[in-house]
Structure formats: structure tokens, C-alpha cells
């Protein structure tokens, strides 16, 4: 063999030896391998990297949403700076029963494919290093980990990998297909999410399964009920008992006959009955705001100020006050919806799926309860400002008074109002805006009613100690909400965190008392 041929041949043998030596690892009842799509690449090429996890017989690993228990594999990459990696592509899982629980995972093998691209035209080698952590379970679970690497030469030719072709052939039928031609519609109806499916012509199935992409959306162990409707099917999916409100979108995989899957991404509409209940709660919450000590004492004062003018002007000012309340609540709704949109882009979601979000909400409701118990006061100066503004004449003064009253009254959030706002944050924008409008109408209704029927002023109860008693009693539903949020947090990240979160709330209460 000539020296001219020896150098590239030795380099090829060396690269193959290095790849074969570093791509596989054995750990805890399973084996993991890193499999590049190509053994050599051309500059600027797009390619894929495969992560293969093969559990022993009788053991299993987990999908991206593990279900009632378990943990999805964690991939931590460190690679050459000119290698861009995309999100892993997951094959559809199986339902794995473990007593009363149902998990989503794989009892044969998991082959994740990660799209990648070389961003430079330089030749040489590209190295990919992966720190892989996963959980492998039978009746008991064992954590596993491995360090895997691939050293891929970049030169004038692209050469396919035999190992890749074998694993890809087994996994390709389990990857989600293009859902073009499908029509998906989701609706929240009580404790059920109803998914209506209308397939393209020629698509048939005798069994349907839905795997939610996000946790704490569905009751994983509950039966999914299929019914045939003209042009397709409906699939009733019982909601998770931990979920306070339905999600804004339903995402996941629809699996037909256990053989083929389609990605589902559908906005969730709220049934008329469910939305009517939320609007009623919101209206009641707005009414209750007027019974809070920070609002009620000036209710009659404001209305008497309106009635100093003629009957027509009084009614105009009452409506202007309501307009101020409405606009203020709309601005608040717009701000919260904007924050929700920002949260969705960073994966927060407002759907009680983030442990940080759960802890923050528990702290918020605890702080609101402590406020109602009188440990600290918020909004007193603003309410006095709102009271002074009632001296302003005309509709403009009444409008300003309504806006300031809203700002000052919101720290006295009543339980019904808190429930309605919490649900509104998980609704589509139009429904959320309707909830905030109902809150505003509830708060402003007494003012408008009294300007149209001033004789009813004599029937209002006088301010007194009963108001403080009511205010303090309303703190306990908020504390109960905090306890429920801690229970959800424990289901999500483990019971150990309940004690730590309770300790943080205790510290918050002590700080408020001090």
C-alpha cells in the first residue's frame, strides 16, 4: 500500500475505533448508546444524532411526560461551537400500569433523534459529548447515568451509519405523522376535555389513545371514552383532579390502533355552562369587594356625592363611575394576559405546571389571607385618594373615582374573585376578558343601582364591627387554597417539598406579623 493511501485509511480506522469505543455505556438494568446518522460529514451538513436507551426485560424508561410517576430522560450536551442541536423527537409511548397509577414510557427501547447542523465550512473533527441521566423502573426505580461522546470527521464525503439505519427503521413507524387534513377541536365540559377528531378521507381506526404532552392536564389512570360521530370521533379525556382550570391548549399525541400517531395542538373552548359559572363567581366576587372595610365605608359617601346634582346628572356620574371601574379591570386583564403570553414563551404557562408558580401562588394566597386578618394593610392611602376624588364634579371626576376605587379595592381580593381570576388566567383571551368584565360589573353594580334608586340608601347596613368579622372570616378560604396548592406541589415534585414550602409560608407569616 502506498504512503499516499495509508494516511487517510489510518485516519478512517482511527475515527471508527474512537466512535465505537465511546458510544455505548451500561448502567443500572439498561444500556445507552449515542448513534450519529453519519460516520463522516461534509462541511455545513444537516444531520441527526440518536440517543438509544434499551432497558432490560421487564424494565422500562419514560416518555417526555412520564405520567403519574417517573422522570423523563435528561440530556446535557457539550459540543463543538459550530454544531447546532434541535429539540429531541420522541416516538409515541405505551401506557404502563403500576397499581393505581398509569405512566407513559417504553418497555422495549427508546430511540430519541436530535436534529443537528454544522454552521461552518471548516473540515476536521466535530465532537459531541452528552451527559445522559434517566430512570429505569420495574417495580422499583433505579437512577442511571452515562457519559457518551461521538467524534465525527468532517471532510469531502458523507458516509451513512449502519447502526443508525437499524435503530431508525425500528423507531420510524412510531414517530408522529403530518396531521395535514385532520380537524381537531377541544372543549372543556366540567371535569372532561372532549376532543373531536375529523380525519382526512381514507383514515380509519378501531382504537384511539391520547397522550398529553404536559403533566397535570389529564387523569392518566382514567378511561378515555371514544364515540363515533358523523365524519369522525369524539374522545372524552377526564381532567386531572389537581388542575384548577382547563388548559388553554390541548397538546399531545393521538395514537390510532397502537400503530401510528399524529400530533394534536388544539385551542380549548369552554362550554357555555362552565363559562356561565365563572362569570357568576366573578360577579359575586366583585359584589363582595364592596363589603370589604377598605371599600364599604365610602360606598354611601360616593353615591351621596353623585346625588348632589340633578337626577339625570347623578345617573350619568354613576355610569361614569362604572366606566372607570370597567376600564381599570380591562387594563388589569390586558396586563395579566400580556404576562401570560410572555410566560408561555418561556414555558411558564399559567397552568399550575411549574413548581415555582405553585409556590408563588401559595405565598400570594397566604399573604392575602394575612392581609384580611389585619396583620398588614394595603391600599388605605389609595382608597382615601379615591374618597377625595369624589369631590370632583362631573362625569370625569366620577370616572377617575371609579378607577382609583378599583386600584385601592383589589388588595381586598375576596375568595370568589380570586377563584375567578385564577381560572381566567387559564382561559382563552376572549373568555378571560369576559370574566374581568363580570368582576367590574359586580363591583360597580351597587353604585349604579343606588344612583338610579337612591331610596335604597336607607336600607344599607351601617358600617361596624361586623365588617371586620366578615373580612377575617374570608381569610380562611384563602388559607385553604394555599394548602391545596401545596398538595399539588407535593404531587408534582415530591412530598419533601411540601415541608420546605410550608416552612417558607411560616416565615412569610412571621415576617407579616413582625
Amino acid at each position: 500500500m502506498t504512503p499516499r493511501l495509508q494516511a487517510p485509511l489510518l485516519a478512517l480506522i482511527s475515527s471508527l475505533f474512537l466512535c465505537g469505543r465511546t458510544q455505548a455505556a451500561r448502567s443500572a438494568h439498561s444500556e445507552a448508546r449515542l448513534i450519529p446518522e453519519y460516520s463522516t460529514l461534509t462541511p455545513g451538513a444537516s444531520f441527526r444524532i440518536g440517543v438509544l436507551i434499551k432497558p432490560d426485560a421487564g424494565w422500562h424508561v419514560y416518555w417526555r411526560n412520564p405520567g403519574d410517576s417517573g422522570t423523563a430522560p435528561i440530556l446535557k450536551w457539550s459540543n463543538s461551537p459550530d454544531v447546532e442541536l434541535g429539540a429531541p423527537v420522541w416516538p409515541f409511548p405505551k401506557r404502563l400500569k403500576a397499581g393505581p397509577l398509569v405512566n407513559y414510557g417504553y418497555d422495549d427501547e427508546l430511540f430519541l433523534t436530535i436534529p443537528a447542523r454544522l454552521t461552518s465550512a471548516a473540515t476536521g473533527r466535530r465532537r459531541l459529548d452528552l451527559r445522559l441521566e434517566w430512570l429505569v423502573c420495574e417495580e422499583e426505580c433505579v437512577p442511571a447515568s452515562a457519559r457518551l461522546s461521538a467524534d465525527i470527521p468532517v471532510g469531502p464525503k458523507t458516509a451513512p451509519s449502519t447502526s443508525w439505519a437499524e435503530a431508525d427503521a425500528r423507531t420510524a413507524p412510531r414517530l408522529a405523522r403530518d396531521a395535514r387534513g385532520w380537524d381537531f377541536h377541544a372543549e372543556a365540559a366540567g371535569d372532561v376535555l372532549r376532543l373531536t377528531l375529523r380525519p382526512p378521507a381514507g383514515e380509519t381506526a378501531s382504537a384511539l389513545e391520547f397522550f398529553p404532552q404536559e403533566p397535570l392536564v389529564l387523569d392518566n389512570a382514567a378511561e378515555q371514552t371514544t364515540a363515533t360521530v358523523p365524519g369522525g370521533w369524539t374522545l372524552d379525556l377526564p381532567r386531572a383532579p389537581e388542575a384548577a382550570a382547563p388548559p388553554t391548549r390541548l397538546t399531545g399525541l393521538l395514537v390510532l390502533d397502537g400503530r401510528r400517531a399524529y400530533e394534536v395542538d388544539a385551542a380549548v373552548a369552554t362550554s357555555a355552562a362552565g363559562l356561565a359559572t365563572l362569570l357568576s363567581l366573578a360577579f359575586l366576587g366583585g359584589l363582595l369587594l364592596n363589603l370589604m372595610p377598605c371599600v364599604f365605608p365610602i360606598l354611601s359617601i360616593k353615591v351621596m356625592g353623585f346625588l348632589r346634582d340633578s337626577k339625570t346628572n347623578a345617573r350619568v356620574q354613576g355610569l361614569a363611575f362604572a366606566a372607570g371601574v370597567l376600564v381599570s379591570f380591562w387594563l388589569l386583564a390586558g396586563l395579566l394576559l400580556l404576562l401570560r403570553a410572555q410566560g408561555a414563551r418561556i414555558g411558564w404557562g399559567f397552568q399550575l405546571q411549574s413548581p415555582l408558580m405553585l409556590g408563588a401562588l401559595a405565598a400570594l394566597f397566604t399573604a392575602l389571607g394575612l392581609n384580611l386578618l389585619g396583620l398588614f394593610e394595603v391600599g388605605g392611602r389609595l382608597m382615601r385618594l379615591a374618597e377625595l376624588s369624589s369631590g370632583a364634579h362631573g362625569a370625569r371626576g366620577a370616572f377617575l373615582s371609579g378607577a382609583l376605587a378599583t386600584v385601592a379595592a383589589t388588595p381586598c381580593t375576596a375568595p370568589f374573585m380570586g377563584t375567578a381570576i385564577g381560572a381566567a388566567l387559564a382561559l382563552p383571551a376572549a373568555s378571560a376578558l369576559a370574566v374581568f368584565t363580570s368582576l367590574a360589573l359586580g363591583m360597580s353594580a351597587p353604585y349604579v343601582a343606588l344612583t338610579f334608586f337612591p331610596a335604597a340608601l336607607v336600607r344599607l347596613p351601617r358600617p361596624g364591627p361586623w365588617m371586620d368579622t366578615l373580612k377575617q372570616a374570608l381569610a380562611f378560604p384563602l388559607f385553604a387554597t394555599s394548602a391545596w396548592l401545596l398538595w399539588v406541589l407535593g404531587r408534582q415534585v415530591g412530598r419533601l417539598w411540601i415541608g420546605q414550602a410550608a416552612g417558607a409560608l411560616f416565615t412569610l407569616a412571621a415576617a407579616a406579623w413582625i
Side-chain angles (χ1 to χ4, degrees):
M1 181 179 296
T2 64
R4 185 176 180 181
L5 295 176
Q6 285 179 348
L9 182 59
L10 289 173
L12 177 60
I13 294 173
S14 175
S15 67
L16 292 175
F17 174 73
L18 286 173
C19 290
R21 186 182 66 180
T22 58
Q23 286 177 330
R26 179 74 189 173
S27 178
H29 302 285
S30 56
E31 181 182 89
R33 298 183 65 197
L34 189 62
I35 306 176
E37 184 178 11
Y38 300 103
S39 57
T40 61
L41 293 170
T42 54
S46 295
F47 61 104
R48 290 174 290 176
I49 295 289
V51 178
L52 177 66
I53 305 176
K54 192 173 183 64
D56 292 347
W59 295 73
H60 60 267
V61 294
Y62 292 96
W63 188 47
R64 59 187 176 188
N65 172 13
D68 287 329
S69 62
T71 302
I74 299 173
L75 284 66
K76 300 177 182 178
W77 294 95
S78 57
N79 44 271
S80 300
D82 62 344
V83 178
E84 286 187 353
L85 298 175
V89 179
W90 296 75
F92 69 80
K94 299 177 181 178
R95 292 169 63 90
L96 304 172
K97 293 186 178 181
L101 306 179
V102 167
N103 300 318
Y104 305 138
Y106 312 87
D107 57 6
D108 46 5
E109 68 176 22
L110 166 61
F111 187 57
L112 292 174
T113 56
I114 297 93
R117 185 173 69 92
L118 296 178
T119 59
S120 75
T123 58
R125 294 183 181 277
R126 299 298 185 273
R127 185 173 180 84
L128 296 171
D129 291 298
L130 171 64
R131 169 69 177 178
L132 179 63
E133 300 174 1
W134 71 98
L135 195 66
V136 58
C137 299
E138 191 186 31
E139 292 183 358
E140 61 181 11
C141 292
V142 181
S145 63
R147 293 187 180 274
L148 304 171
S149 63
D151 197 8
I152 309 175
V154 178
K157 294 183 179 181
T158 297
S161 165
T162 303
S163 299
W164 170 277
E166 294 173 351
D168 186 55
R170 295 191 300 269
T171 301
R174 296 168 64 178
L175 298 180
R177 304 182 182 187
D178 185 359
R180 188 177 307 167
W182 281 84
D183 179 41
F184 301 120
H185 176 75
E187 181 184 53
D191 295 333
V192 171
L193 294 176
R194 173 162 292 175
L195 181 60
T196 302
L197 313 161
R198 290 186 170 84
E203 183 72 79
T204 61
S206 57
L208 303 176
E209 280 185 298
F210 180 79
F211 295 91
Q213 179 173 319
E214 302 294 340
L216 299 179
V217 172
L218 300 184
D219 185 346
N220 303 308
E223 181 180 358
Q224 299 180 0
T225 305
T226 305
T228 302
V229 296
W233 309 277
T234 60
L235 194 55
D236 283 353
L237 310 170
R239 289 175 47 205
E242 302 94 332
T248 56
R249 303 197 72 83
L250 184 62
T251 57
L253 294 180
L254 173 68
V255 179
L256 281 63
D257 297 329
R259 296 179 179 178
R260 57 196 185 279
Y262 296 92
E263 286 193 3
V264 174
D265 184 356
V268 177
T270 304
S271 66
L275 184 58
T277 300
L278 283 178
L279 294 178
S280 300
L281 286 174
F283 188 85
L284 183 57
L287 282 175
L288 279 176
L289 276 178
N290 292 293
L291 298 180
M292 296 294 99
C294 58
V295 181
F296 186 82
I298 64 167
L299 174 60
S300 57
I301 296 176
K302 285 184 178 296
V303 176
M304 290 301 295
F306 297 157
L307 294 178
R308 292 185 187 128
D309 292 328
S310 65
K311 182 181 297 186
T312 300
N313 287 340
R315 292 174 177 176
V316 168
Q317 291 185 55
L319 294 173
F321 180 90
V325 175
L326 273 170
V327 170
S328 300
F329 270 97
W330 287 341
L331 290 174
L332 176 61
L335 175 60
L336 291 178
L337 290 174
L338 177 62
L339 290 175
R340 185 179 77 177
Q342 296 293 329
R345 283 196 286 272
I346 61 174
W348 184 16
F350 284 86
Q351 295 179 18
L352 296 184
Q353 295 164 2
S354 164
L356 182 61
M357 178 69 166
L358 289 169
L361 285 175
L364 173 63
F365 281 106
T366 300
L368 289 173
L370 296 173
N371 172 238
L372 292 179
L373 287 179
L375 266 69
F376 62 93
E377 297 292 337
V378 179
R381 293 183 180 179
L382 284 172
M383 183 51 67
R384 285 193 291 273
L385 182 60
E387 184 177 351
L388 291 174
S389 72
S390 63
H393 293 290
R396 184 168 59 181
F399 181 91
L400 176 62
S401 182
L404 290 174
T406 301
V407 175
T410 47
C412 296
T413 302
F416 294 105
M417 180 178 173
T419 300
I421 291 178
L425 290 175
L427 291 173
S431 298
L433 187 61
V435 170
F436 279 91
T437 300
S438 187
L439 279 166
L441 292 176
M443 181 177 173
S444 58
Y447 298 89
V448 176
L450 289 172
T451 56
F452 276 79
F453 305 100
L457 276 171
V458 297
R459 300 185 180 180
L460 289 178
R462 294 181 177 274
W466 67 269
M467 296 173 56
D468 279 326
T469 302
L470 174 64
K471 176 184 174 183
Q472 293 174 17
L474 291 175
F476 292 96
L478 295 175
F479 292 145
T481 302
S482 293
W484 174 79
L485 288 168
L486 291 183
W487 175 74
V488 175
L489 179 65
R491 286 288 302 270
Q492 192 173 103
V493 297
R495 296 178 181 177
L496 177 63
W497 285 90
I498 297 181
Q500 297 182 10
L505 296 185
F506 174 82
T507 304
L508 174 65
W513 179 79
I514 292 172

